């Protein structure tokens, strides 16, 4: 089922999330990160940081904390079992640290089909700000598999 | 630059689901994966991207990473053993450009991407 192109340009509701230190330590453990800069505040300070750094991909996790992460997929009639992550990108403007409250604002930038509708793509850009300062942009492409479209 | 990761266990996927907040059952619930026609669960793509992030930050301070982009080219089955690879392609105007890849033991490339780093990277 093709994604309704009307959705392109839609700015989704913003949400804010705090980078909690305990959560950052749990994340470091889950990805096997052993560099103490990511778990020990003293080591982070010795490396020139003022707190535990938010690691490169963790902004994606805070993005996923929006109150109803599946709302857009539900509205578009997309079954979560059919989605694959197609692409993910980060452009960094400033470091984020434990204790920061970050605001995420996503815009649907594209929606299209390939292979006669077997694959649908939904592309979003998310601006991440801290007190109004842009600290990063996330680029995300989701792929929706529609195997029955080939039959 | 290379980082050989341990085999990805079901426990790793459960921990990553909890820590990342990505609770998509396709990564942690065999029943749901089977209901979608798959034989087993598969790893979060973002877990592999996090491994690539570890490779980057083990060679350069994180504040020097300007951009980090990947395409997920193939799924990573549970129990696969990935290797993260980064290769310098050029250094220009004070920026170092890297090609990134995540490969499995059978040669499958699961992620392909690029990163741009401020300054040079010590070999």
């Amino acid at each position: 089922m093709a994604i309704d192109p009307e959705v392109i340009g839609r700015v989704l509701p913003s949400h804010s999330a705090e980078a909690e230190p305990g959560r950052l330590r749990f994340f470091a453990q889950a990805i096997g990160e052993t560099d103490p800069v990511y778990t020990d505040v003293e080591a982070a300070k010795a490396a020139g940081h003022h707190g535990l750094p938010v690691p490169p991909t963790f902004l994606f996790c805070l993005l996923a904390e929006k109150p109803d992460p599946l709302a857009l997929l539900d509205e578009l009639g997309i079954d979560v079992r059919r989605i694959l992550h197609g692409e993910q990108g980060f452009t960094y403007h400033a470091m984020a640290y434990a204790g920061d409250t970050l605001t995420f604002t996503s815009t649907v930038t594209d929606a299209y089909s390939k292979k006669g509708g077997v694959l649908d793509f939904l592309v979003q850009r998310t601006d991440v700000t801290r007190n109004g300062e842009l600290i990063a942009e996330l680029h995300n492409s989701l792929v929706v598999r529609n195997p029955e479209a080939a039959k | 630059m290379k980082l050989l990761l341990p085999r990805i266990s079901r426990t790793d996927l459960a921990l990553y689901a909890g820590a990342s907040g990505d609770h998509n059952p396709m990564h942690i619930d065999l029943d749901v994966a089977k209901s979608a026609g798959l034989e087993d669960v598969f790893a979060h793509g973002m877990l592999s991207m996090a491994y690539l992030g570890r490779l980057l930050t083990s060679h350069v301070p994180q504040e020097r990473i300007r951009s980090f982009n990947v395409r997920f080219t193939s799924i990573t089955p549970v129990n696969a053993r990935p290797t993260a690879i980064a290769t310098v392609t050029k250094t220009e105007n004070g920026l170092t450009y890297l090609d990134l890849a995540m490969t499995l033991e059978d040669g499958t490339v699961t992620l392909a991407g690029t990163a741009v780093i401020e300054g040079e990277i010590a070999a």
Side-chain angles (χ1 to χ4, degrees), chain B residues 89-103:
Chain B
T89 53
K90 65 175 176 177
T91 303
E92 195 174 86
N93 298 325
L95 298 174
T96 300
Y97 294 79
L98 299 170
D99 274 352
L100 308 174
M102 184 69 84
T103 63

Side-chain angles (χ1 to χ4, degrees), chain A residues 25 33-53 95 97, chain B residues 57 61-63:
Chain A
R25 291 191 182 94
E33 178 60 83
T34 55
D35 183 344
V37 163
Y38 291 98
T39 51
D40 177 345
V41 177
E42 294 309 316
K45 286 183 175 169
H49 301 294
H50 65 72
L52 295 180
M95 289 286 287
Y97 290 102
Chain B
T57 59
Q62 188 185 330
E63 59 272 22

Side-chain angles (χ1 to χ4, degrees), chain A residues 7-141:
Chain A
V7 76
I8 298 170
R10 171 105 61 94
V11 179
L12 304 173
S14 295
H15 79 282
S16 294
E18 185 190 341
E20 299 166 355
R23 176 91 182 277
L24 294 181
R25 291 191 182 94
F26 182 19
F27 185 79
Q29 179 197 358
I31 68 169
E33 178 60 83
T34 55
D35 183 344
V37 163
Y38 291 98
T39 51
D40 177 345
V41 177
E42 294 309 316
K45 286 183 175 169
H49 301 294
H50 65 72
L52 295 180
V54 170
T57 63
F58 191 77
L59 292 173
F60 181 82
C61 305
L62 293 178
L63 168 61
E65 280 191 8
K66 60 183 146 189
D68 193 353
L70 300 180
L72 180 65
L73 297 180
D74 287 345
E75 179 193 325
L76 297 173
I78 296 170
D79 180 344
V80 70
R81 295 176 305 171
R82 294 180 165 215
I83 57 174
L84 289 172
H85 206 158
E87 295 180 33
Q88 183 64 44
F90 299 85
T91 303
Y92 304 101
H93 304 293
M95 289 286 287
Y97 290 102
D100 285 355
T101 295
L102 304 173
T103 301
F104 295 79
T105 308
S106 300
T107 304
V108 178
T109 53
D110 208 355
Y112 57 93
S113 293
K114 277 190 183 174
K115 299 186 182 176
V118 174
L119 298 174
D120 288 329
F121 293 79
L122 182 65
V123 187
Q124 298 176 64
R125 186 196 76 236
T126 303
D127 290 339
V128 185
T129 58
R130 175 179 54 206
N131 301 322
E133 175 200 4
L134 182 68
I135 65 155
E137 296 147 57
L138 276 56
H139 303 272
N140 169 282
S141 173

